[in-house]
């Protein structure tokens, strides 16, 4: 919630997302934990994942295992 993760982002990894995925995930977590809204949409996180992993860019059905695996790998 305090953006303490920003100092740990590896922006020089040519295979990474330059911290964009981590920031989109952090934004979603802040929205969820703030509790201001009854409904929270993960649209920005989904958009960011689709930008770096094109198999997730559309709205077709995807394998949840592959999605979670990509998300976890991208946040490490």
């Amino acid at each position: 919630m305090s953006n303490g993760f920003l100092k740990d982002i590896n922006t020089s990894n040519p295979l990474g997302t330059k911290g964009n995925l981590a920031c989109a995930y952090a934004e979603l977590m802040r929205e969820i934990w703030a509790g201001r809204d009854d409904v929270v949409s993960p649209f920005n996180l989904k958009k960011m994942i689709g930008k770096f992993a094109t198999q997730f860019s559309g709205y077709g059905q995807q394998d949840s295992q592959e999605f979670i695996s990509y998300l976890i790998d991208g946040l490490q």
Side-chain angles (χ1 to χ4, degrees), residues 49 55-56 60-71:
I49 289 175
Q55 69 267 32
F56 301 116
Q61 186 172 347
Q62 300 293 329
D63 185 327
S64 60
Q65 167 62 34
E66 289 180 28
F67 178 83
I68 294 296
S69 179
Y70 177 80
L71 178 61

Side-chain angles (χ1 to χ4, degrees), residues 36-67:
R36 290 187 295 264
D37 301 311
D38 292 336
V39 177
V40 176
S41 171
F43 178 77
N44 289 333
L45 178 63
K46 160 82 170 84
K47 183 178 166 185
M48 190 58 59
I49 289 175
K51 182 177 178 181
F52 293 101
T54 57
Q55 69 267 32
F56 301 116
S57 63
Y59 289 97
Q61 186 172 347
Q62 300 293 329
D63 185 327
S64 60
Q65 167 62 34
E66 289 180 28
F67 178 83

Side-chain angles (χ1 to χ4, degrees), residues 2-58:
S2 65
N3 291 330
F5 70 95
L6 291 173
K7 66 182 178 345
D8 296 317
I9 292 177
N10 180 357
T11 58
S12 62
N13 181 353
L15 302 176
T17 65
K18 310 287 190 245
N20 292 311
L21 181 59
C23 289
Y25 182 77
E27 178 185 334
L28 177 61
M29 292 298 104
R30 276 193 292 275
E31 288 179 32
I32 290 171
W33 284 98
R36 290 187 295 264
D37 301 311
D38 292 336
V39 177
V40 176
S41 171
F43 178 77
N44 289 333
L45 178 63
K46 160 82 170 84
K47 183 178 166 185
M48 190 58 59
I49 289 175
K51 182 177 178 181
F52 293 101
T54 57
Q55 69 267 32
F56 301 116
S57 63

